[in-house]
Amino acid sequence: MKITVIGSISTDIIVEASVAPMVGETVRGDKLSFSYGGKGANQAIAVSRLGVETEMIGSVGQDDFGSRLVRNLDENSINTKCIKIVERHSGTAIIQLIKGDNSIIYIPGANEELTIDDIENVRDDLESSSFVIIQNEVNEGVVKRTIDICDELNVPTLYNPAPARQISEKYIDKVSYLTPNETEFKVLFPNQSVEAVLYRYPLKLIVTLGEKGALFYDGAEIKLIAAYKVENVVDTTGAGDCFNGAFAVARMKGLEVEQAIKFANLAASISIQKLGAQAGSPTLNEIKEHIQYEKEWDFE
Ligand code: RIB
């Protein structure tokens, strides 16, 4: 059983400060760090740490960053044979971290070089996957072609529409799971209430609400699956990615949607206790040893 992630692979440049600068203002920062990121890579790391065979499809630059980004995935036991190396700078995100909360400027660079043809070329890899995850830090055409091919091949897909971008309903109909946060929801479904749209997509649409948890409709009622409380939040960057990866793993292992959301909430709550989008992403053992691990999940 393998999960394939198609998406961005980036370097995160994290700037920590106690206050955010206003326009035209300069403030002194406290700390500068470089870490591994990119929504796609973060999701792949989340899957792999949970002990599932993982393949990553994406594109990095010929620069030093590119080789480090691929090495990091290799070191996390992720199959990188389909990662393309291009003559462009590798993807980068500038992350401003103020008291644990982040805002991000994303510069796609090489991530933008992944093409529809590249997706056609990995059709066999998609076919041999039990689950495919995709998000929006790659071109729209790549997202659409992935969804179409997986639909043709009957491979379940999780589409995490982050960062926000519109897409026609025909693609939403084809994916197995759609996981916007509140901002992304508003872009996908302008002027529609969360409740009304949840009713249209039972067991498919999961609206993530950060520290409040996640909403979904189980066919009988709308349920809020509360997030786990965390006292010592260090960095929420990548928590959504961890949620998506863990949810896909849990579904693939047979948990019902509600339990899979709970499991993903727990993984995300652990992930925010370390600095960096990937550093805190938990291993299966860490989750199993957690006081809130539910025996009925019975993970191997
Ligand atoms: O979701 C978090 C990620 O988004 C970061 O790692 C950064 O790369 C950004 O693009």
Side-chain angles (χ1 to χ4, degrees):
M1 289 206 285
K2 172 182 80 169
I3 293 184
T4 297
V5 181
I6 299 184
S8 56
I9 310 166
S10 305
T11 304
D12 289 349
I13 301 176
I14 308 168
V15 179
E16 289 173 76
S18 46
V19 282
M22 313 275 278
V23 174
E25 189 191 15
T26 302
V27 297
R28 192 195 137 107
D30 301 321
K31 197 174 162 200
L32 174 73
S33 350
F34 289 73
S35 79
Y36 297 109
K39 293 185 193 300
N42 299 344
Q43 291 168 359
I45 295 275
V47 171
S48 177
R49 296 242 172 103
L50 293 172
V52 171
E53 185 186 341
T54 315
E55 178 165 0
M56 175 92 222
I57 291 161
S59 173
V60 298
Q62 255 173 0
D63 48 15
D64 280 355
F65 290 106
S67 42
R68 280 189 214 144
L69 290 167
V70 175
R71 198 180 323 130
N72 171 53
L73 296 173
D74 288 334
E75 285 170 1
N76 278 279
S77 311
I78 294 168
N79 184 335
T80 56
K81 74 174 166 46
C82 292
I83 293 181
K84 189 163 99 160
I85 302 188
V86 298
E87 273 186 49
R88 195 159 165 195
H89 71 81
S90 295
T92 310
I94 312 292
I95 301 180
Q96 180 180 283
L97 192 60
I98 314 286
K99 295 183 188 136
D101 283 322
N102 65 66
S103 39
I104 302 178
I105 298 178
Y106 165 60
I107 306 113
N111 290 311
E112 243 174 16
E113 302 292 325
L114 193 70
T115 64
I116 293 175
D117 285 347
D118 295 327
I119 302 304
E120 294 292 350
N121 292 337
V122 297
R123 203 183 169 94
D124 288 350
D125 297 83
L126 297 179
E127 190 162 22
S128 62
S129 306
S130 310
F131 222 106
V132 169
I133 304 179
I134 187 148
Q135 9 57 40
N136 279 343
E137 284 187 333
V138 288
N139 296 330
E140 189 180 348
V142 166
V143 172
K144 290 180 171 170
R145 196 65 201 120
T146 302
I147 294 173
D148 278 337
I149 292 179
C150 290
D151 182 56
E152 281 160 39
L153 298 172
N154 240 331
V155 175
T157 41
L158 184 157
Y159 174 40
N160 171 225
R165 182 160 73 203
Q166 286 189 322
I167 194 165
S168 77
E169 234 172 272
K170 129 178 165 202
Y171 292 97
I172 295 176
D173 289 342
K174 285 182 183 179
V175 299
S176 316
Y177 302 101
L178 178 73
T179 57
N181 64 19
E182 288 164 287
T183 313
E184 292 144 10
F185 175 90
K186 285 185 190 141
V187 173
L188 283 173
F189 305 105
N191 306 317
Q192 298 180 59
S193 76
V194 171
E195 201 179 44
V197 183
L198 280 169
Y199 284 134
R200 289 212 314 267
Y201 298 109
L203 300 172
K204 172 191 285 218
L205 175 62
I206 298 160
V207 182
T208 57
L209 309 172
E211 63 187 20
K212 285 190 246 125
L215 282 169
F216 81 111
Y217 173 56
D218 70 0
E221 57 177 320
I222 290 178
K223 289 189 171 165
L224 169 67
I225 309 300
Y228 295 86
K229 293 262 172 298
V230 177
E231 296 298 326
N232 50 332
V233 177
V234 176
D235 182 5
T236 56
T237 313
D241 302 326
C242 181
F243 176 94
N244 280 283
F247 176 82
V249 168
R251 283 298 290 139
M252 197 189 79
K253 298 246 182 182
L255 293 196
E256 297 299 331
V257 171
E258 181 168 343
Q259 292 305 317
I261 295 174
K262 268 194 181 178
F263 178 83
N265 275 348
L266 182 56
S269 76
I270 297 171
S271 78
I272 59 180
Q273 299 178 42
K274 284 193 186 149
L275 179 70
Q278 297 176 5
S281 202
T283 61
L284 189 53
N285 274 346
E286 279 175 272
I287 296 205
K288 280 182 153 183
E289 281 162 13
H290 198 279
I291 191 154
Q292 252 120 4
Y293 179 79
E294 300 197 14
K295 291 270 176 316
E296 67 185 86
W297 291 342
D298 195 22
F299 256 88
E300 291 188 6

